[in-house]
PDB file of all heavy atoms in Angstrom:
ATOM      1  N   THR D 800      29.813 152.591  89.195  1.00  0.00           N
ATOM      2  CA  THR D 800      28.828 153.499  89.606  1.00  0.00           C
ATOM      3  C   THR D 800      28.667 153.682  91.143  1.00  0.00           C
ATOM      4  O   THR D 800      27.939 154.463  91.719  1.00  0.00           O
ATOM      5  CB  THR D 800      27.376 153.122  89.162  1.00  0.00           C
ATOM      6  OG1 THR D 800      27.211 151.681  89.654  1.00  0.00           O
ATOM      7  CG2 THR D 800      27.391 152.959  87.609  1.00  0.00           C
ATOM      8  N   LYS D 801      29.420 152.915  91.900  1.00  0.00           N
ATOM      9  CA  LYS D 801      29.490 153.017  93.313  1.00  0.00           C
ATOM     10  C   LYS D 801      29.886 154.301  93.843  1.00  0.00           C
ATOM     11  O   LYS D 801      30.656 155.045  93.170  1.00  0.00           O
ATOM     12  CB  LYS D 801      30.316 151.898  93.883  1.00  0.00           C
ATOM     13  CG  LYS D 801      29.791 150.541  93.954  1.00  0.00           C
ATOM     14  CD  LYS D 801      30.376 149.656  94.983  1.00  0.00           C
ATOM     15  CE  LYS D 801      29.676 148.290  94.852  1.00  0.00           C
ATOM     16  NZ  LYS D 801      28.359 148.262  95.414  1.00  0.00           N
ATOM     17  N   ASP D 802      29.380 154.619  94.921  1.00  0.00           N
ATOM     18  CA  ASP D 802      29.674 155.877  95.674  1.00  0.00           C
ATOM     19  C   ASP D 802      31.160 155.932  95.919  1.00  0.00           C
ATOM     20  O   ASP D 802      31.725 154.966  96.468  1.00  0.00           O
ATOM     21  CB  ASP D 802      28.929 155.857  96.980  1.00  0.00           C
ATOM     22  CG  ASP D 802      29.409 156.971  97.901  1.00  0.00           C
ATOM     23  OD1 ASP D 802      30.050 157.947  97.389  1.00  0.00           O
ATOM     24  OD2 ASP D 802      29.141 156.896  99.133  1.00  0.00           O
ATOM     25  N   THR D 803      31.775 156.978  95.468  1.00  0.00           N
ATOM     26  CA  THR D 803      33.274 157.001  95.742  1.00  0.00           C
ATOM     27  C   THR D 803      33.745 157.869  96.875  1.00  0.00           C
ATOM     28  O   THR D 803      34.920 158.091  97.149  1.00  0.00           O
ATOM     29  CB  THR D 803      33.994 157.630  94.396  1.00  0.00           C
ATOM     30  OG1 THR D 803      33.404 158.952  94.132  1.00  0.00           O
ATOM     31  CG2 THR D 803      33.834 156.785  93.238  1.00  0.00           C
ATOM     32  N   GLU D 804      32.688 158.208  97.674  1.00  0.00           N
ATOM     33  CA  GLU D 804      33.102 159.021  98.905  1.00  0.00           C
ATOM     34  C   GLU D 804      34.008 158.178  99.853  1.00  0.00           C
ATOM     35  O   GLU D 804      34.885 158.755 100.489  1.00  0.00           O
ATOM     36  CB  GLU D 804      31.765 159.413  99.660  1.00  0.00           C
ATOM     37  CG  GLU D 804      31.332 160.733  99.258  1.00  0.00           C
ATOM     38  CD  GLU D 804      30.273 161.233 100.155  1.00  0.00           C
ATOM     39  OE1 GLU D 804      30.244 160.806 101.293  1.00  0.00           O
ATOM     40  OE2 GLU D 804      29.502 162.141  99.706  1.00  0.00           O
ATOM     41  N   LYS D 805      33.816 156.828  99.936  1.00  0.00           N
ATOM     42  CA  LYS D 805      34.574 156.141 100.936  1.00  0.00           C
ATOM     43  C   LYS D 805      35.972 155.702 100.262  1.00  0.00           C
ATOM     44  O   LYS D 805      36.636 154.842 100.810  1.00  0.00           O
ATOM     45  CB  LYS D 805      33.807 154.916 101.308  1.00  0.00           C
ATOM     46  CG  LYS D 805      32.555 155.209 102.156  1.00  0.00           C
ATOM     47  CD  LYS D 805      31.752 154.065 102.595  1.00  0.00           C
ATOM     48  CE  LYS D 805      30.612 154.359 103.428  1.00  0.00           C
ATOM     49  NZ  LYS D 805      29.627 153.255 103.720  1.00  0.00           N
ATOM     50  N   MET D 806      36.271 156.247  99.144  1.00  0.00           N
ATOM     51  CA  MET D 806      37.402 155.825  98.501  1.00  0.00           C
ATOM     52  C   MET D 806      38.705 155.899  99.261  1.00  0.00           C
ATOM     53  O   MET D 806      39.556 155.054  99.206  1.00  0.00           O
ATOM     54  CB  MET D 806      37.516 156.628  97.187  1.00  0.00           C
ATOM     55  CG  MET D 806      38.403 156.058  96.053  1.00  0.00           C
ATOM     56  SD  MET D 806      37.988 156.720  94.501  1.00  0.00           S
ATOM     57  CE  MET D 806      38.290 158.520  94.948  1.00  0.00           C
ATOM     58  N   GLN D 807      38.795 156.987  99.969  1.00  0.00           N
ATOM     59  CA  GLN D 807      39.993 157.234 100.756  1.00  0.00           C
ATOM     60  C   GLN D 807      40.199 156.147 101.753  1.00  0.00           C
ATOM     61  O   GLN D 807      41.403 155.511 101.841  1.00  0.00           O
ATOM     62  CB  GLN D 807      39.882 158.539 101.477  1.00  0.00           C
ATOM     63  CG  GLN D 807      41.240 158.956 102.071  1.00  0.00           C
ATOM     64  CD  GLN D 807      41.265 160.489 102.262  1.00  0.00           C
ATOM     65  OE1 GLN D 807      40.295 161.186 101.974  1.00  0.00           O
ATOM     66  NE2 GLN D 807      42.393 160.971 102.888  1.00  0.00           N
ATOM     67  N   GLY D 808      39.147 155.758 102.471  1.00  0.00           N
ATOM     68  CA  GLY D 808      39.255 154.691 103.503  1.00  0.00           C
ATOM     69  C   GLY D 808      39.718 153.378 102.909  1.00  0.00           C
ATOM     70  O   GLY D 808      40.445 152.565 103.257  1.00  0.00           O
ATOM     71  N   LEU D 809      38.961 153.057 101.748  1.00  0.00           N
ATOM     72  CA  LEU D 809      39.260 151.859 101.004  1.00  0.00           C
ATOM     73  C   LEU D 809      40.713 151.677 100.575  1.00  0.00           C
ATOM     74  O   LEU D 809      41.315 150.692 100.747  1.00  0.00           O
ATOM     75  CB  LEU D 809      38.326 151.766  99.813  1.00  0.00           C
ATOM     76  CG  LEU D 809      38.558 150.543  98.802  1.00  0.00           C
ATOM     77  CD1 LEU D 809      38.419 149.321  99.492  1.00  0.00           C
ATOM     78  CD2 LEU D 809      37.639 150.708  97.537  1.00  0.00           C
ATOM     79  N   ILE D 810      41.254 152.768  99.960  1.00  0.00           N
ATOM     80  CA  ILE D 810      42.549 152.767  99.355  1.00  0.00           C
ATOM     81  C   ILE D 810      43.569 152.610 100.579  1.00  0.00           C
ATOM     82  O   ILE D 810      44.553 151.814 100.423  1.00  0.00           O
ATOM     83  CB  ILE D 810      42.796 153.951  98.548  1.00  0.00           C
ATOM     84  CG1 ILE D 810      42.035 153.922  97.273  1.00  0.00           C
ATOM     85  CG2 ILE D 810      44.328 154.094  98.224  1.00  0.00           C
ATOM     86  CD1 ILE D 810      42.106 155.044  96.358  1.00  0.00           C
ATOM     87  N   LYS D 811      43.376 153.272 101.625  1.00  0.00           N
ATOM     88  CA  LYS D 811      44.265 153.114 102.790  1.00  0.00           C
ATOM     89  C   LYS D 811      44.239 151.694 103.322  1.00  0.00           C
ATOM     90  O   LYS D 811      45.255 151.098 103.590  1.00  0.00           O
ATOM     91  CB  LYS D 811      43.806 154.016 103.972  1.00  0.00           C
ATOM     92  CG  LYS D 811      44.425 155.474 103.833  1.00  0.00           C
ATOM     93  CD  LYS D 811      44.152 156.185 105.105  1.00  0.00           C
ATOM     94  CE  LYS D 811      44.400 157.751 104.948  1.00  0.00           C
ATOM     95  NZ  LYS D 811      45.722 158.019 104.356  1.00  0.00           N
ATOM     96  N   TYR D 812      43.067 151.105 103.328  1.00  0.00           N
ATOM     97  CA  TYR D 812      42.803 149.771 103.815  1.00  0.00           C
ATOM     98  C   TYR D 812      43.598 148.650 102.906  1.00  0.00           C
ATOM     99  O   TYR D 812      44.333 147.927 103.292  1.00  0.00           O
ATOM    100  CB  TYR D 812      41.372 149.368 103.881  1.00  0.00           C
ATOM    101  CG  TYR D 812      41.195 147.885 103.872  1.00  0.00           C
ATOM    102  CD1 TYR D 812      41.325 147.098 105.069  1.00  0.00           C
ATOM    103  CD2 TYR D 812      40.751 147.176 102.729  1.00  0.00           C
ATOM    104  CE1 TYR D 812      41.079 145.751 105.064  1.00  0.00           C
ATOM    105  CE2 TYR D 812      40.571 145.811 102.755  1.00  0.00           C
ATOM    106  CZ  TYR D 812      40.720 145.099 103.845  1.00  0.00           C
ATOM    107  OH  TYR D 812      40.606 143.727 103.877  1.00  0.00           O
ATOM    108  N   LEU D 813      43.424 148.915 101.570  1.00  0.00           N
ATOM    109  CA  LEU D 813      44.045 147.959 100.568  1.00  0.00           C
ATOM    110  C   LEU D 813      45.550 147.974 100.777  1.00  0.00           C
ATOM    111  O   LEU D 813      46.241 146.961 100.773  1.00  0.00           O
ATOM    112  CB  LEU D 813      43.696 148.372  99.192  1.00  0.00           C
ATOM    113  CG  LEU D 813      42.257 148.241  98.804  1.00  0.00           C
ATOM    114  CD1 LEU D 813      41.989 148.986  97.439  1.00  0.00           C
ATOM    115  CD2 LEU D 813      41.879 146.746  98.695  1.00  0.00           C
ATOM    116  N   TYR D 814      46.128 149.221 100.825  1.00  0.00           N
ATOM    117  CA  TYR D 814      47.562 149.375 100.964  1.00  0.00           C
ATOM    118  C   TYR D 814      48.103 148.748 102.253  1.00  0.00           C
ATOM    119  O   TYR D 814      49.079 147.959 102.244  1.00  0.00           O
ATOM    120  CB  TYR D 814      47.918 150.931 100.843  1.00  0.00           C
ATOM    121  CG  TYR D 814      49.497 150.990 100.776  1.00  0.00           C
ATOM    122  CD1 TYR D 814      50.020 150.822  99.491  1.00  0.00           C
ATOM    123  CD2 TYR D 814      50.285 151.039 101.800  1.00  0.00           C
ATOM    124  CE1 TYR D 814      51.370 150.921  99.299  1.00  0.00           C
ATOM    125  CE2 TYR D 814      51.683 151.003 101.711  1.00  0.00           C
ATOM    126  CZ  TYR D 814      52.227 150.952 100.405  1.00  0.00           C
ATOM    127  OH  TYR D 814      53.589 150.934 100.286  1.00  0.00           O
ATOM    128  N   ARG D 815      47.407 149.071 103.324  1.00  0.00           N
ATOM    129  CA  ARG D 815      47.834 148.589 104.602  1.00  0.00           C
ATOM    130  C   ARG D 815      47.774 147.072 104.768  1.00  0.00           C
ATOM    131  O   ARG D 815      48.657 146.366 105.260  1.00  0.00           O
ATOM    132  CB  ARG D 815      46.978 149.178 105.722  1.00  0.00           C
ATOM    133  CG  ARG D 815      47.466 149.088 107.105  1.00  0.00           C
ATOM    134  CD  ARG D 815      46.499 149.642 108.216  1.00  0.00           C
ATOM    135  NE  ARG D 815      45.191 148.945 108.104  1.00  0.00           N
ATOM    136  CZ  ARG D 815      44.053 149.537 107.957  1.00  0.00           C
ATOM    137  NH1 ARG D 815      44.012 150.833 107.718  1.00  0.00           N
ATOM    138  NH2 ARG D 815      42.915 148.756 107.932  1.00  0.00           N
ATOM    139  N   GLU D 816      46.734 146.450 104.198  1.00  0.00           N
ATOM    140  CA  GLU D 816      46.588 145.009 104.117  1.00  0.00           C
ATOM    141  C   GLU D 816      47.390 144.264 102.951  1.00  0.00           C
ATOM    142  O   GLU D 816      47.182 143.133 102.830  1.00  0.00           O
ATOM    143  CB  GLU D 816      45.095 144.567 104.080  1.00  0.00           C
ATOM    144  CG  GLU D 816      44.318 145.079 105.308  1.00  0.00           C
ATOM    145  CD  GLU D 816      44.707 144.523 106.566  1.00  0.00           C
ATOM    146  OE1 GLU D 816      44.907 143.194 106.570  1.00  0.00           O
ATOM    147  OE2 GLU D 816      45.028 145.121 107.605  1.00  0.00           O
ATOM    148  N   LYS D 817      48.149 145.073 102.317  1.00  0.00           N
ATOM    149  CA  LYS D 817      48.973 144.487 101.169  1.00  0.00           C
ATOM    150  C   LYS D 817      48.098 143.782 100.075  1.00  0.00           C
ATOM    151  O   LYS D 817      48.513 142.832  99.475  1.00  0.00           O
ATOM    152  CB  LYS D 817      49.917 143.375 101.650  1.00  0.00           C
ATOM    153  CG  LYS D 817      50.980 143.969 102.617  1.00  0.00           C
ATOM    154  CD  LYS D 817      52.005 142.898 103.008  1.00  0.00           C
ATOM    155  CE  LYS D 817      52.793 143.219 104.254  1.00  0.00           C
ATOM    156  NZ  LYS D 817      53.347 142.201 104.971  1.00  0.00           N
ATOM    157  N   HIS D 818      46.855 144.400  99.893  1.00  0.00           N
ATOM    158  CA  HIS D 818      46.046 143.871  98.820  1.00  0.00           C
ATOM    159  C   HIS D 818      46.490 144.861  97.553  1.00  0.00           C
ATOM    160  O   HIS D 818      45.873 145.867  97.250  1.00  0.00           O
ATOM    161  CB  HIS D 818      44.630 144.112  98.986  1.00  0.00           C
ATOM    162  CG  HIS D 818      44.114 143.153  99.997  1.00  0.00           C
ATOM    163  ND1 HIS D 818      44.319 141.814 100.096  1.00  0.00           N
ATOM    164  CD2 HIS D 818      43.339 143.394 101.158  1.00  0.00           C
ATOM    165  CE1 HIS D 818      43.718 141.299 101.063  1.00  0.00           C
ATOM    166  NE2 HIS D 818      43.054 142.259 101.712  1.00  0.00           N
ATOM    167  N   MET D 819      47.509 144.429  96.871  1.00  0.00           N
ATOM    168  CA  MET D 819      48.191 145.328  95.903  1.00  0.00           C
ATOM    169  C   MET D 819      47.656 145.228  94.492  1.00  0.00           C
ATOM    170  O   MET D 819      47.862 146.181  93.719  1.00  0.00           O
ATOM    171  CB  MET D 819      49.707 145.151  95.939  1.00  0.00           C
ATOM    172  CG  MET D 819      50.378 145.465  97.305  1.00  0.00           C
ATOM    173  SD  MET D 819      50.025 147.135  97.976  1.00  0.00           S
ATOM    174  CE  MET D 819      51.024 148.026  96.875  1.00  0.00           C
ATOM    175  N   SER D 820      46.944 144.204  94.219  1.00  0.00           N
ATOM    176  CA  SER D 820      46.534 144.044  92.854  1.00  0.00           C
ATOM    177  C   SER D 820      45.642 145.233  92.264  1.00  0.00           C
ATOM    178  O   SER D 820      45.780 145.571  91.068  1.00  0.00           O
ATOM    179  CB  SER D 820      45.857 142.696  92.606  1.00  0.00           C
ATOM    180  OG  SER D 820      44.810 142.398  93.413  1.00  0.00           O
ATOM    181  N   PRO D 821      44.803 145.828  93.051  1.00  0.00           N
ATOM    182  CA  PRO D 821      44.019 147.000  92.482  1.00  0.00           C
ATOM    183  C   PRO D 821      44.814 148.091  92.152  1.00  0.00           C
ATOM    184  O   PRO D 821      44.323 149.012  91.456  1.00  0.00           O
ATOM    185  CB  PRO D 821      43.146 147.465  93.709  1.00  0.00           C
ATOM    186  CG  PRO D 821      43.004 146.172  94.558  1.00  0.00           C
ATOM    187  CD  PRO D 821      44.315 145.470  94.476  1.00  0.00           C
ATOM    188  N   PHE D 822      46.141 148.246  92.531  1.00  0.00           N
ATOM    189  CA  PHE D 822      46.959 149.266  92.145  1.00  0.00           C
ATOM    190  C   PHE D 822      47.697 149.016  90.862  1.00  0.00           C
ATOM    191  O   PHE D 822      48.722 149.720  90.442  1.00  0.00           O
ATOM    192  CB  PHE D 822      48.018 149.586  93.202  1.00  0.00           C
ATOM    193  CG  PHE D 822      47.395 149.990  94.587  1.00  0.00           C
ATOM    194  CD1 PHE D 822      47.154 149.043  95.586  1.00  0.00           C
ATOM    195  CD2 PHE D 822      47.055 151.333  94.728  1.00  0.00           C
ATOM    196  CE1 PHE D 822      46.636 149.463  96.788  1.00  0.00           C
ATOM    197  CE2 PHE D 822      46.431 151.731  95.942  1.00  0.00           C
ATOM    198  CZ  PHE D 822      46.270 150.760  96.974  1.00  0.00           C
ATOM    199  N   GLU D 823      47.256 148.001  90.137  1.00  0.00           N
ATOM    200  CA  GLU D 823      47.963 147.620  88.856  1.00  0.00           C
ATOM    201  C   GLU D 823      47.283 147.961  87.534  1.00  0.00           C
ATOM    202  O   GLU D 823      47.844 147.694  86.466  1.00  0.00           O
ATOM    203  CB  GLU D 823      48.330 146.110  88.861  1.00  0.00           C
ATOM    204  CG  GLU D 823      49.195 145.666  90.020  1.00  0.00           C
ATOM    205  CD  GLU D 823      49.492 144.179  89.906  1.00  0.00           C
ATOM    206  OE1 GLU D 823      49.248 143.575  88.863  1.00  0.00           O
ATOM    207  OE2 GLU D 823      50.135 143.691  90.913  1.00  0.00           O
TER     208      GLU D 823
END
Side-chain angles (χ1 to χ4, degrees):
Chain D
T800 56
K801 280 202 183 285
D802 171 19
T803 56
E804 267 193 24
K805 295 180 177 171
M806 202 161 54
Q807 191 159 358
L809 172 62
I810 288 176
K811 274 190 194 307
Y812 162 77
L813 291 169
Y814 191 85
R815 195 181 61 237
E816 296 294 312
K817 296 182 201 158
H818 294 310
M819 298 306 287
S820 52
F822 297 97
E823 296 184 10

